[in-house]
Amino acid sequence: MSIVAITQPVPTNTQFTMVDVPYLREMASRTGGRVNVTLASHAERSLGGAEIVRLVRSGQAEIGAGTLSTLAGDVPILDGVDLSGMAPRIADARRITEGLMPIANRDLERFGVRLVIMYPFPAQVLFCRSAFRSLDDLRGRKIRTFGASLVDLVGALGAQPVSIGFPEVYSALERGVVDCAVTGTGSGAAARWPEVSSHISDLPLSWAVAGYMVNLAWWNRLDPAVRAHLEATFKEMSDKLWQLGDEGTRDGIDCNIGNREACRLNQLAPRPMTEVKSTPEEAARLRSIFERTVLPNWVGRCGARCGEIYNQVIAPISGVRFGG
C-alpha cells in the first residue's frame, strides 16, 4: 500500500526530522514493506499550509498536517483549540485538545476528513529587531502574526498586526517591514531569525497547535490490521510531539540566546539574542486580554454554539468563562 503524507511547514522542523521521518517515511521498514509512505513538507510542495484540508479531502494526500489556526477558515471551531493567551501551560493546552478533538471531528467529517492527532509546536513567542522590556513597549510596532486570535491580541496591545507567511518573515525582519514577529522558539532558531532579530520573549502567547488528518473514506476502507497499525503509530507520534513541544520551548530560547550547554534540539545562534523574561504582571495582562478581547471576538466569529462548547469543555481548564 502506498500513502502520500504532507506534514510540517519546512523539512528542517524538528517535528519533521525527529518524528515524521522515523515514523512515516520509514514505515516500510516497520511494516516489512506492506505500507510505504511518500512524505513531504509544505515547502517541498510549494504550499502555504491552508490547503491541507482540501488536499486531504480531495484524496491528493491520504494524510496531511497543518496548524489549526490556518485551517479555521474551513472549520471555525478549530481556531478555538489554541486561542492566544488561553493556555500559558502546555499541560493545559493538551487537555484542551483532548476535550475538543471529538467535537472538531464532528465538523471536519462533513468535509470528508478526520483528525487523528493534535499536537503543539514549542511556545509561540515574540522575536524583535530592537530592545523591549515589556508588552507596553510593543505599542505602535508592526508585528507579524498568524491566525485571527493572535491578530486580536496584538491589536489589543496597541501594535499593528501584519500577516506574512513563515518563509518570508526572515527577509521582512531583515528589511524592517516588521519590527517583531511571532513564532515558536525552535522554529525561529531553525529559520535563523537570530540573524535578523535581537530580543526574544519567554512569554507563551499560544502553542500553534496543529493536527494530522486523514481522508475519511480512505481511512474507513483500510484493512483493519493496517488501520490498527496506523492508530498505534499515531499514538506514539502524539506522545513524542507533545514531549518535543515541551522540551523544545526552553531549548529554542537557549539556542537563540547562545546557551551552548543547554542547546540540544536546535542550532545555536551565531549571534546570541537577549532574553526578555516575563513577569507575573505580564502574564496577568495577557490573561485579561484573552478574557476581554480574544475570547469574545472568537465567539463572535464562530457563533453562539462555540461559546457554549467553550464554557462546557475549555472553561474548566482555562479558568475563564465566556460571558462572565
Side-chain angles (χ1 to χ4, degrees):
M1 167 181 285
S2 295
I3 297 172
V4 173
I6 305 173
T7 57
Q8 312 301 334
V10 293
T12 52
N13 280 129
T14 53
Q15 291 75 16
F16 192 86
T17 60
M18 299 178 68
V19 180
D20 290 352
V21 169
Y23 281 96
L24 296 179
R25 180 173 288 165
E26 298 174 9
M27 188 172 289
S29 63
R30 295 160 63 97
T31 62
R34 187 176 182 187
V35 180
N36 181 67
V37 177
T38 300
L39 175 67
S41 66
H42 300 172
E44 291 169 308
R45 293 294 185 92
S46 299
L47 300 172
E51 313 92 334
I52 295 299
V53 171
R54 292 186 288 278
L55 286 173
V56 175
R57 180 186 186 184
S58 68
Q60 294 179 63
E62 285 79 24
I63 300 171
T67 306
L68 298 185
S69 62
T70 66
L71 308 177
D74 289 329
V75 184
I77 191 70
L78 294 178
D79 208 22
V81 176
D82 187 42
L83 295 172
S84 297
M86 180 170 67
R89 299 184 306 169
I90 196 169
D92 290 339
R94 186 168 193 177
R95 291 174 62 202
I96 289 168
T97 66
E98 290 169 352
L100 283 181
M101 175 84 88
I103 297 167
N105 270 335
R106 283 201 290 272
D107 288 3
L108 280 165
E109 287 175 7
R110 294 204 299 267
F111 288 85
V113 300
R114 173 186 290 169
L115 279 165
V116 289
I117 299 178
M118 290 187 192
Y119 67 99
F121 284 86
Q124 304 295 294
V125 301
L126 280 157
F127 290 70
C128 289
R129 300 176 73 238
S130 59
F132 69 99
R133 292 174 297 177
S134 69
L135 296 176
D136 285 332
D137 294 338
L138 301 175
R139 180 172 295 275
R141 297 197 192 189
K142 299 187 295 293
I143 300 178
R144 178 264 178 172
T145 60
F146 58 89
S149 75
L150 191 55
V151 168
D152 290 338
L153 172 64
V154 166
L157 293 172
Q160 179 183 340
V162 181
S163 177
I164 299 176
F166 185 80
E168 288 77 46
V169 177
Y170 180 100
S171 60
L173 284 167
E174 184 178 39
R175 293 182 287 113
V177 173
V178 293
D179 304 299
C180 306
V182 179
T183 197
T185 62
S187 301
R192 309 194 328 272
W193 286 15
E195 297 175 3
V196 291
S197 55
S198 62
H199 287 65
I200 180 172
S201 171
D202 70 349
L203 181 65
L205 303 181
S206 65
W207 297 94
V209 172
Y212 290 74
M213 58 191 64
V214 297
N215 180 285
L216 186 59
W218 167 80
W219 183 256
N220 288 337
R221 288 195 308 266
L222 284 174
D223 178 280
V226 173
R227 187 164 58 239
H229 176 77
L230 289 173
E231 287 173 338
T233 299
F234 284 132
K235 174 64 171 65
E236 286 188 43
M237 290 172 65
S238 176
D239 292 339
K240 292 283 186 183
L241 286 161
W242 281 98
Q243 180 182 354
L244 189 58
D246 189 10
E247 295 175 355
T249 293
R250 185 63 232 180
D251 180 89
I253 293 175
D254 283 325
C255 294
N256 288 320
I257 66 175
N259 185 350
R260 185 180 300 274
E261 292 183 358
C263 177
R264 303 179 187 280
L265 299 174
N266 295 281
Q267 62 184 12
L268 190 71
R271 187 181 72 179
M273 300 182 71
T274 297
E275 180 180 358
V276 180
K277 295 184 181 292
S278 58
T279 64
E281 291 76 19
E282 298 276 276
R285 184 177 179 195
L286 186 62
R287 183 179 178 88
S288 175
I289 292 172
F290 166 70
E291 183 173 3
R292 297 180 182 182
T293 302
V294 172
L295 177 58
N297 284 6
W298 171 68
V299 174
R301 291 189 297 270
C302 195
R305 168 180 173 261
C306 293
E308 294 168 3
I309 291 170
Y310 173 88
N311 280 340
Q312 179 182 357
V313 178
I314 303 176
I317 302 169
S318 70
V320 174
R321 184 172 175 82
F322 172 66

